[in-house]
Amino acid sequence: MVHWKKRLNIGWILIIVLILAAACEEKNPVEQVHQEKEEAPPEVVKIGFSMDTLEEERWVRDRDLFKKAVEDLGAEVDIMEARGNDALQVLQAETLINQGIDVLVIVPYNAEAAAAIVQKAHRAGIKVVSYDRLVKNADIDLYVSFDNERVGELQAKAIKERVPEGKYVYIGGADTDYNAHLMKKGVFSVLNSSIDNGEIQVVYDQWTDNWLPENAYINMKEALKANHNHIDAVIAANDATAGMALKALEEVGLEGKIPIAGQDAELAAAQRIVQGTQTMTVYKPINTLAREAASLAIALAKNEYIDTDKKINNGKIEVPSVLLEPIAVNRDNLDRTIIADGFHTREDVYK
């Protein structure tokens, strides 16, 4: 009997030891959840990039540079192009929103119509960055661009130095693009005093529908016809419109005789500057813009504080803005700017 009891006691002791050992090995549920959280990989930030168009050289560059900048920072980006159609851009933005992006970056085709996109994004809890072009009448979270008024100022100053008196033609961008209005404001802030005292006459002033170069060509033809080919200077809203203005001038034998300003530092414009048929362009280092926009978009996605030193009124709110400085480029500094930065190669520019 005693022998049996001893064996029973030993058996209970072994069972208790095994239970205690198992309890020691079992993780505290709170500690286990905490450890799993630590071991779980951080969620990848997803950015939607809604672009107006890829028809022009510079926007292809923006797309590629922005994509690289986002991916270099460890995030993902889905890019859609609206092909200059505001209804399509709204539809594509809805698609991006439904895909579960964290931030929407938008280059609006129509500054007014894009306000609907901002509302849709905010209803889904998604913040919106306005890239290069400002969305009007909307609660935009951030605007990242170049100082577009300054772009216009640089154009007008360069042409005014060459032609302090005479007949000016102004070929603007798309009326639907708020940047076009900002650039025009900058141009006329420089010209107005000379206009008021009669030194400069703006004999033609027209927007270019949809930024289409062929519409700029029509505008320039009209300007020449209305003034019997007697004009002294042309300020065009970008290099594509400047190129078509030059085409119209060539047809009446004025190639290289009329100073022309553009902007965007496109390769064709740089070549025209070397050839002497375009006076200047405005260089906006879009690599800097793309990196800055990518970094700020990711910061917004992570709810990090962004300190901005400027605000731009878009008709509804004072939008926190990061505005980069554009650079006037002519024959004298072309090598030190767009070529030195690798924006274009010297071989391509001087070929």
Short mmCIF file of all heavy atoms in Angstrom, two decimals, residues 222-281:
data_model
loop_
_atom_site.label_atom_id
_atom_site.label_comp_id
_atom_site.label_asym_id
_atom_site.label_seq_id
_atom_site.Cartn_x
_atom_site.Cartn_y
_atom_site.Cartn_z
N GLU A 222 -3.25 84.88 -86.45
CA GLU A 222 -4.22 85.96 -86.29
C GLU A 222 -3.54 87.26 -85.88
O GLU A 222 -3.90 88.35 -86.37
CB GLU A 222 -5.27 85.56 -85.24
CG GLU A 222 -6.24 84.50 -85.69
CD GLU A 222 -7.22 84.12 -84.59
OE1 GLU A 222 -7.06 84.61 -83.45
OE2 GLU A 222 -8.15 83.33 -84.87
N ALA A 223 -2.57 87.15 -84.97
CA ALA A 223 -1.85 88.34 -84.50
C ALA A 223 -1.11 89.01 -85.65
O ALA A 223 -1.12 90.25 -85.78
CB ALA A 223 -0.89 87.96 -83.40
N LEU A 224 -0.47 88.21 -86.48
CA LEU A 224 0.27 88.76 -87.61
C LEU A 224 -0.68 89.41 -88.62
O LEU A 224 -0.42 90.51 -89.13
CB LEU A 224 1.09 87.66 -88.29
CG LEU A 224 2.31 87.17 -87.50
CD1 LEU A 224 2.83 85.86 -88.08
CD2 LEU A 224 3.41 88.23 -87.49
N LYS A 225 -1.79 88.74 -88.90
CA LYS A 225 -2.75 89.27 -89.86
C LYS A 225 -3.34 90.59 -89.37
O LYS A 225 -3.46 91.56 -90.14
CB LYS A 225 -3.85 88.25 -90.10
CG LYS A 225 -4.87 88.70 -91.14
CD LYS A 225 -5.93 87.61 -91.36
CE LYS A 225 -6.97 88.06 -92.39
NZ LYS A 225 -8.00 87.01 -92.60
N ALA A 226 -3.70 90.64 -88.08
CA ALA A 226 -4.32 91.84 -87.52
C ALA A 226 -3.38 93.03 -87.51
O ALA A 226 -3.83 94.19 -87.52
CB ALA A 226 -4.82 91.55 -86.11
N ASN A 227 -2.07 92.77 -87.50
CA ASN A 227 -1.10 93.85 -87.40
C ASN A 227 -0.23 93.97 -88.66
O ASN A 227 0.83 94.60 -88.62
CB ASN A 227 -0.22 93.64 -86.16
CG ASN A 227 -0.99 93.80 -84.87
OD1 ASN A 227 -1.20 94.90 -84.40
ND2 ASN A 227 -1.43 92.67 -84.29
N HIS A 228 -0.69 93.34 -89.74
CA HIS A 228 0.02 93.42 -91.02
C HIS A 228 1.51 93.04 -90.88
O HIS A 228 2.38 93.67 -91.48
CB HIS A 228 -0.11 94.83 -91.62
CG HIS A 228 -1.54 95.30 -91.71
ND1 HIS A 228 -2.43 94.77 -92.60
CD2 HIS A 228 -2.22 96.23 -90.98
CE1 HIS A 228 -3.61 95.36 -92.44
NE2 HIS A 228 -3.51 96.25 -91.47
N ASN A 229 1.74 92.02 -90.03
CA ASN A 229 3.09 91.47 -89.78
C ASN A 229 4.01 92.43 -89.02
O ASN A 229 5.19 92.15 -88.85
CB ASN A 229 3.78 91.04 -91.07
CG ASN A 229 3.05 89.91 -91.77
OD1 ASN A 229 2.21 89.24 -91.18
ND2 ASN A 229 3.35 89.70 -93.04
N HIS A 230 3.45 93.55 -88.55
CA HIS A 230 4.28 94.53 -87.85
C HIS A 230 4.16 94.31 -86.33
O HIS A 230 3.34 94.95 -85.65
CB HIS A 230 3.85 95.96 -88.22
CG HIS A 230 4.10 96.30 -89.64
ND1 HIS A 230 3.28 97.13 -90.38
CD2 HIS A 230 5.08 95.89 -90.50
CE1 HIS A 230 3.74 97.24 -91.62
NE2 HIS A 230 4.83 96.49 -91.71
N ILE A 231 4.97 93.40 -85.81
CA ILE A 231 5.07 93.19 -84.37
C ILE A 231 6.54 93.20 -83.99
O ILE A 231 7.42 93.01 -84.83
CB ILE A 231 4.40 91.87 -83.94
CG1 ILE A 231 5.11 90.67 -84.59
CG2 ILE A 231 2.91 91.85 -84.26
CD1 ILE A 231 4.71 89.36 -84.00
N ASP A 232 6.80 93.39 -82.69
CA ASP A 232 8.18 93.53 -82.24
C ASP A 232 8.63 92.48 -81.23
O ASP A 232 9.84 92.29 -81.03
CB ASP A 232 8.37 94.93 -81.62
CG ASP A 232 8.07 96.04 -82.61
OD1 ASP A 232 8.78 96.13 -83.63
OD2 ASP A 232 7.10 96.80 -82.38
N ALA A 233 7.69 91.81 -80.56
CA ALA A 233 8.07 90.83 -79.54
C ALA A 233 6.93 89.87 -79.27
O ALA A 233 5.75 90.24 -79.42
CB ALA A 233 8.46 91.54 -78.24
N VAL A 234 7.29 88.64 -78.87
CA VAL A 234 6.29 87.62 -78.54
C VAL A 234 6.65 86.99 -77.19
O VAL A 234 7.79 86.58 -76.97
CB VAL A 234 6.24 86.51 -79.61
CG1 VAL A 234 5.24 85.42 -79.20
CG2 VAL A 234 5.88 87.07 -80.97
N ILE A 235 5.66 86.94 -76.30
CA ILE A 235 5.81 86.18 -75.05
C ILE A 235 4.80 85.05 -75.10
O ILE A 235 3.59 85.29 -75.21
CB ILE A 235 5.58 87.06 -73.81
CG1 ILE A 235 6.62 88.20 -73.77
CG2 ILE A 235 5.66 86.22 -72.53
CD1 ILE A 235 6.41 89.17 -72.63
N ALA A 236 5.30 83.82 -75.07
CA ALA A 236 4.44 82.64 -75.15
C ALA A 236 4.47 81.89 -73.82
O ALA A 236 5.49 81.87 -73.13
CB ALA A 236 4.91 81.73 -76.28
N ALA A 237 3.35 81.25 -73.48
CA ALA A 237 3.19 80.66 -72.16
C ALA A 237 4.08 79.45 -71.90
O ALA A 237 4.37 79.12 -70.75
CB ALA A 237 1.73 80.28 -71.92
N ASN A 238 4.50 78.77 -72.96
CA ASN A 238 5.49 77.70 -72.77
C ASN A 238 6.26 77.50 -74.08
O ASN A 238 6.03 78.19 -75.08
CB ASN A 238 4.84 76.40 -72.27
CG ASN A 238 3.94 75.74 -73.30
OD1 ASN A 238 3.79 76.20 -74.43
ND2 ASN A 238 3.33 74.62 -72.91
N ASP A 239 7.19 76.56 -74.07
CA ASP A 239 8.05 76.38 -75.24
C ASP A 239 7.30 75.77 -76.43
O ASP A 239 7.64 76.05 -77.59
CB ASP A 239 9.25 75.50 -74.88
CG ASP A 239 10.23 76.22 -73.98
OD1 ASP A 239 10.31 77.47 -74.06
OD2 ASP A 239 10.93 75.55 -73.19
N ALA A 240 6.31 74.95 -76.16
CA ALA A 240 5.54 74.36 -77.26
C ALA A 240 4.78 75.44 -78.01
O ALA A 240 4.74 75.46 -79.25
CB ALA A 240 4.59 73.30 -76.72
N THR A 241 4.16 76.38 -77.27
CA THR A 241 3.45 77.48 -77.93
C THR A 241 4.43 78.44 -78.58
O THR A 241 4.15 78.99 -79.65
CB THR A 241 2.54 78.22 -76.93
OG1 THR A 241 3.30 78.62 -75.79
CG2 THR A 241 1.39 77.34 -76.47
N ALA A 242 5.60 78.62 -77.97
CA ALA A 242 6.63 79.48 -78.58
C ALA A 242 7.09 78.90 -79.91
O ALA A 242 7.32 79.63 -80.89
CB ALA A 242 7.82 79.63 -77.63
N GLY A 243 7.22 77.57 -79.96
CA GLY A 243 7.65 76.91 -81.20
C GLY A 243 6.67 77.12 -82.33
O GLY A 243 7.07 77.33 -83.48
N MET A 244 5.38 77.09 -82.01
CA MET A 244 4.38 77.30 -83.05
C MET A 244 4.25 78.77 -83.44
O MET A 244 3.93 79.08 -84.58
CB MET A 244 3.03 76.74 -82.59
CG MET A 244 3.05 75.22 -82.40
SD MET A 244 3.68 74.31 -83.84
CE MET A 244 2.25 74.35 -84.91
N ALA A 245 4.52 79.65 -82.49
CA ALA A 245 4.58 81.08 -82.83
C ALA A 245 5.71 81.32 -83.81
O ALA A 245 5.57 82.06 -84.79
CB ALA A 245 4.77 81.91 -81.57
N LEU A 246 6.83 80.65 -83.58
CA LEU A 246 7.98 80.78 -84.48
C LEU A 246 7.63 80.25 -85.88
O LEU A 246 8.01 80.85 -86.89
CB LEU A 246 9.18 80.02 -83.92
CG LEU A 246 10.42 79.98 -84.82
CD1 LEU A 246 10.94 81.39 -85.09
CD2 LEU A 246 11.51 79.11 -84.19
N LYS A 247 6.89 79.15 -85.93
CA LYS A 247 6.50 78.60 -87.23
C LYS A 247 5.71 79.63 -88.04
O LYS A 247 5.95 79.81 -89.24
CB LYS A 247 5.66 77.33 -87.02
CG LYS A 247 5.19 76.70 -88.33
CD LYS A 247 4.33 75.47 -88.06
CE LYS A 247 3.80 74.89 -89.39
NZ LYS A 247 2.92 73.73 -89.17
N ALA A 248 4.78 80.32 -87.37
CA ALA A 248 3.99 81.35 -88.05
C ALA A 248 4.87 82.51 -88.50
O ALA A 248 4.68 83.07 -89.59
CB ALA A 248 2.87 81.84 -87.14
N LEU A 249 5.86 82.87 -87.69
CA LEU A 249 6.79 83.94 -88.04
C LEU A 249 7.66 83.54 -89.23
O LEU A 249 7.95 84.36 -90.11
CB LEU A 249 7.67 84.30 -86.84
CG LEU A 249 6.97 85.01 -85.67
CD1 LEU A 249 7.89 85.06 -84.46
CD2 LEU A 249 6.54 86.42 -86.07
N GLU A 250 8.08 82.29 -89.27
CA GLU A 250 8.90 81.80 -90.39
C GLU A 250 8.16 81.96 -91.71
O GLU A 250 8.76 82.30 -92.74
CB GLU A 250 9.24 80.32 -90.17
CG GLU A 250 10.26 80.06 -89.08
CD GLU A 250 10.44 78.57 -88.81
OE1 GLU A 250 9.62 77.76 -89.33
OE2 GLU A 250 11.38 78.21 -88.09
N GLU A 251 6.88 81.73 -91.67
CA GLU A 251 6.08 81.77 -92.89
C GLU A 251 5.97 83.17 -93.50
O GLU A 251 5.65 83.32 -94.67
CB GLU A 251 4.68 81.21 -92.61
CG GLU A 251 4.69 79.72 -92.31
CD GLU A 251 3.36 79.17 -91.86
OE1 GLU A 251 2.41 79.98 -91.71
OE2 GLU A 251 3.24 77.94 -91.66
N VAL A 252 6.27 84.19 -92.68
CA VAL A 252 6.23 85.57 -93.22
C VAL A 252 7.63 86.19 -93.21
O VAL A 252 7.78 87.41 -93.27
CB VAL A 252 5.23 86.45 -92.43
CG1 VAL A 252 3.81 85.94 -92.62
CG2 VAL A 252 5.58 86.49 -90.94
N GLY A 253 8.65 85.33 -93.09
CA GLY A 253 10.02 85.81 -93.20
C GLY A 253 10.56 86.52 -91.98
O GLY A 253 11.54 87.29 -92.07
N LEU A 254 9.98 86.27 -90.80
CA LEU A 254 10.43 86.96 -89.58
C LEU A 254 11.19 86.04 -88.62
O LEU A 254 11.39 86.38 -87.46
CB LEU A 254 9.22 87.57 -88.85
CG LEU A 254 8.52 88.72 -89.60
CD1 LEU A 254 7.28 89.17 -88.84
CD2 LEU A 254 9.48 89.89 -89.80
N GLU A 255 11.62 84.88 -89.10
CA GLU A 255 12.37 83.95 -88.25
C GLU A 255 13.66 84.59 -87.76
O GLU A 255 14.45 85.12 -88.53
CB GLU A 255 12.71 82.69 -89.05
CG GLU A 255 13.56 81.68 -88.28
CD GLU A 255 13.98 80.52 -89.15
OE1 GLU A 255 13.67 80.54 -90.35
OE2 GLU A 255 14.64 79.61 -88.64
N GLY A 256 13.85 84.55 -86.44
CA GLY A 256 15.07 85.09 -85.85
C GLY A 256 15.09 86.61 -85.72
O GLY A 256 16.04 87.18 -85.17
N LYS A 257 14.05 87.28 -86.22
CA LYS A 257 14.02 88.74 -86.18
C LYS A 257 13.16 89.28 -85.04
O LYS A 257 13.26 90.46 -84.69
CB LYS A 257 13.50 89.29 -87.51
CG LYS A 257 14.38 88.93 -88.70
CD LYS A 257 13.79 89.44 -90.01
CE LYS A 257 14.67 89.02 -91.19
NZ LYS A 257 14.11 89.49 -92.50
N ILE A 258 12.31 88.43 -84.49
CA ILE A 258 11.40 88.84 -83.41
C ILE A 258 11.76 88.08 -82.13
O ILE A 258 11.72 86.85 -82.11
CB ILE A 258 9.93 88.52 -83.79
CG1 ILE A 258 9.56 89.11 -85.14
CG2 ILE A 258 8.97 89.02 -82.70
CD1 ILE A 258 9.62 90.61 -85.22
N PRO A 259 12.12 88.77 -81.05
CA PRO A 259 12.40 88.08 -79.79
C PRO A 259 11.19 87.30 -79.29
O PRO A 259 10.06 87.80 -79.31
CB PRO A 259 12.74 89.23 -78.84
CG PRO A 259 13.20 90.34 -79.72
CD PRO A 259 12.35 90.22 -80.95
N ILE A 260 11.45 86.05 -78.87
CA ILE A 260 10.38 85.18 -78.37
C ILE A 260 10.79 84.59 -77.02
O ILE A 260 11.91 84.08 -76.87
CB ILE A 260 10.10 84.01 -79.34
CG1 ILE A 260 9.77 84.53 -80.74
CG2 ILE A 260 8.96 83.13 -78.82
CD1 ILE A 260 9.59 83.42 -81.77
N ALA A 261 9.87 84.62 -76.07
CA ALA A 261 10.10 83.99 -74.76
C ALA A 261 9.19 82.78 -74.61
O ALA A 261 8.03 82.79 -75.07
CB ALA A 261 9.82 84.98 -73.63
N GLY A 262 9.71 81.72 -73.99
CA GLY A 262 8.90 80.55 -73.66
C GLY A 262 9.20 80.12 -72.23
O GLY A 262 9.79 80.88 -71.46
N GLN A 263 8.84 78.90 -71.89
CA GLN A 263 9.21 78.34 -70.58
C GLN A 263 9.03 76.84 -70.60
O GLN A 263 8.24 76.32 -71.37
CB GLN A 263 8.40 78.98 -69.45
CG GLN A 263 6.93 78.68 -69.45
CD GLN A 263 6.48 77.74 -68.36
OE1 GLN A 263 7.24 77.33 -67.50
NE2 GLN A 263 5.22 77.36 -68.41
N ASP A 264 9.78 76.16 -69.80
CA ASP A 264 9.85 74.70 -69.60
C ASP A 264 11.20 74.12 -70.00
O ASP A 264 11.49 72.97 -69.68
CB ASP A 264 8.76 73.94 -70.36
CG ASP A 264 7.42 73.93 -69.63
OD1 ASP A 264 7.42 74.22 -68.42
OD2 ASP A 264 6.39 73.67 -70.28
N ALA A 265 12.02 74.90 -70.71
CA ALA A 265 13.35 74.44 -71.10
C ALA A 265 13.31 73.14 -71.88
O ALA A 265 14.14 72.24 -71.67
CB ALA A 265 14.27 74.31 -69.88
N GLU A 266 12.37 73.02 -72.79
CA GLU A 266 12.30 71.83 -73.65
C GLU A 266 13.54 71.78 -74.56
O GLU A 266 14.14 72.80 -74.87
CB GLU A 266 11.03 71.84 -74.49
CG GLU A 266 9.78 71.59 -73.69
CD GLU A 266 8.56 71.36 -74.58
OE1 GLU A 266 8.69 71.53 -75.81
OE2 GLU A 266 7.50 71.00 -74.04
N LEU A 267 13.89 70.59 -75.00
CA LEU A 267 15.06 70.42 -75.85
C LEU A 267 14.96 71.26 -77.12
O LEU A 267 15.92 71.94 -77.51
CB LEU A 267 15.24 68.94 -76.21
CG LEU A 267 16.39 68.62 -77.17
CD1 LEU A 267 17.73 69.09 -76.59
CD2 LEU A 267 16.43 67.13 -77.48
N ALA A 268 13.80 71.25 -77.77
CA ALA A 268 13.63 72.02 -79.00
C ALA A 268 13.85 73.51 -78.73
O ALA A 268 14.41 74.23 -79.57
CB ALA A 268 12.24 71.79 -79.59
N ALA A 269 13.41 73.98 -77.56
CA ALA A 269 13.58 75.39 -77.22
C ALA A 269 15.06 75.70 -77.00
O ALA A 269 15.57 76.75 -77.43
CB ALA A 269 12.78 75.73 -75.97
N ALA A 270 15.77 74.80 -76.32
CA ALA A 270 17.21 74.99 -76.11
C ALA A 270 17.94 75.05 -77.45
O ALA A 270 18.85 75.88 -77.64
CB ALA A 270 17.77 73.88 -75.24
N GLN A 271 17.54 74.20 -78.37
CA GLN A 271 18.16 74.21 -79.71
C GLN A 271 17.85 75.52 -80.44
O GLN A 271 18.71 76.08 -81.11
CB GLN A 271 17.66 73.02 -80.51
CG GLN A 271 18.16 71.68 -79.97
CD GLN A 271 17.46 70.49 -80.59
OE1 GLN A 271 16.37 70.63 -81.17
NE2 GLN A 271 18.06 69.31 -80.48
N ARG A 272 16.62 76.01 -80.27
CA ARG A 272 16.26 77.29 -80.91
C ARG A 272 17.04 78.45 -80.31
O ARG A 272 17.41 79.39 -81.02
CB ARG A 272 14.75 77.54 -80.78
CG ARG A 272 13.89 76.60 -81.61
CD ARG A 272 12.46 77.10 -81.71
NE ARG A 272 11.75 77.10 -80.44
CZ ARG A 272 10.98 76.11 -79.99
NH1 ARG A 272 10.85 74.99 -80.71
NH2 ARG A 272 10.36 76.21 -78.84
N ILE A 273 17.31 78.38 -79.01
CA ILE A 273 18.11 79.43 -78.37
C ILE A 273 19.52 79.45 -78.95
O ILE A 273 20.08 80.51 -79.24
CB ILE A 273 18.13 79.23 -76.84
CG1 ILE A 273 16.75 79.56 -76.25
CG2 ILE A 273 19.20 80.10 -76.18
CD1 ILE A 273 16.60 79.22 -74.78
N VAL A 274 20.10 78.26 -79.15
CA VAL A 274 21.42 78.16 -79.77
C VAL A 274 21.39 78.71 -81.20
O VAL A 274 22.30 79.42 -81.65
CB VAL A 274 21.92 76.70 -79.76
CG1 VAL A 274 23.18 76.55 -80.61
CG2 VAL A 274 22.18 76.24 -78.33
N GLN A 275 20.33 78.41 -81.91
CA GLN A 275 20.19 78.87 -83.30
C GLN A 275 19.85 80.35 -83.41
O GLN A 275 19.98 80.94 -84.48
CB GLN A 275 19.10 78.05 -84.00
CG GLN A 275 19.45 76.57 -84.15
CD GLN A 275 18.22 75.71 -84.40
OE1 GLN A 275 17.11 76.23 -84.53
NE2 GLN A 275 18.42 74.40 -84.46
N GLY A 276 19.38 80.93 -82.30
CA GLY A 276 19.04 82.35 -82.31
C GLY A 276 17.61 82.66 -82.70
O GLY A 276 17.27 83.83 -82.95
N THR A 277 16.75 81.66 -82.76
CA THR A 277 15.36 81.91 -83.14
C THR A 277 14.42 82.03 -81.95
O THR A 277 13.27 82.44 -82.11
CB THR A 277 14.85 80.78 -84.07
OG1 THR A 277 15.01 79.52 -83.41
CG2 THR A 277 15.62 80.80 -85.39
N GLN A 278 14.87 81.64 -80.76
CA GLN A 278 14.11 81.88 -79.52
C GLN A 278 15.04 82.58 -78.55
O GLN A 278 16.20 82.20 -78.40
CB GLN A 278 13.58 80.57 -78.92
CG GLN A 278 12.73 80.78 -77.66
CD GLN A 278 11.97 79.54 -77.23
OE1 GLN A 278 11.51 78.76 -78.06
NE2 GLN A 278 11.81 79.35 -75.92
N THR A 279 14.53 83.59 -77.89
CA THR A 279 15.38 84.44 -77.04
C THR A 279 15.71 83.78 -75.72
O THR A 279 16.86 83.79 -75.27
CB THR A 279 14.67 85.78 -76.76
OG1 THR A 279 14.27 86.35 -78.00
CG2 THR A 279 15.58 86.73 -76.01
N MET A 280 14.71 83.22 -75.07
CA MET A 280 14.92 82.65 -73.73
C MET A 280 13.84 81.63 -73.42
O MET A 280 12.80 81.55 -74.09
CB MET A 280 14.93 83.74 -72.67
CG MET A 280 13.62 84.52 -72.51
SD MET A 280 12.41 83.75 -71.35
CE MET A 280 13.24 84.00 -69.78
N THR A 281 14.10 80.85 -72.38
CA THR A 281 13.10 79.97 -71.80
C THR A 281 13.25 80.08 -70.29
O THR A 281 14.18 80.72 -69.79
CB THR A 281 13.29 78.52 -72.27
OG1 THR A 281 12.21 77.70 -71.77
CG2 THR A 281 14.61 77.93 -71.79
#
